[in-house]
Amino acid sequence: TKKHPDKESFVAAVVSWLKKPEADKSLMQGAIHKFNLMPSIPVSAGDAEKIATYMFEGTLEKPEGFDEHVKVRVEIVVK
């Protein structure tokens, strides 16, 4: 991601987020407004690192309409 472009900072941020989600650390403020803050995820630090590494290195499938959604959101923020 642009906020955490390197693997080390991305993994650290995700591990921290899974342990203790905080609204001020969220990169998805819209999701918090729509769904509220998620609860902490009860996973070990090792598993959290594996999850974060997979997210960083893996190619996650984009849901249908994702690119259009992002484009619209960027246009709203830019205006």
Side-chain angles (χ1 to χ4, degrees), residues 18-61:
L18 291 174
K19 183 177 181 180
K20 185 178 178 190
E22 296 180 45
D24 63 329
K25 292 182 180 178
S26 174
L27 300 179
M28 300 177 67
Q29 294 295 319
I32 291 175
H33 292 295
K34 187 172 182 178
F35 304 110
N36 295 317
L37 189 62
M38 69 177 229
S40 62
I41 305 291
V43 297
S44 69
D47 285 345
E49 286 185 27
K50 290 176 187 176
I51 291 166
T53 298
Y54 175 79
M55 290 170 62
F56 186 85
E57 294 177 348
T59 303
L60 302 177
E61 187 176 319

Side-chain angles (χ1 to χ4, degrees), residues 1-10 56:
T1 68
K2 292 180 183 178
K3 177 87 175 179
H4 302 286
D6 61 281
K7 181 179 174 180
E8 183 178 333
S9 68
F10 180 87
F56 186 85

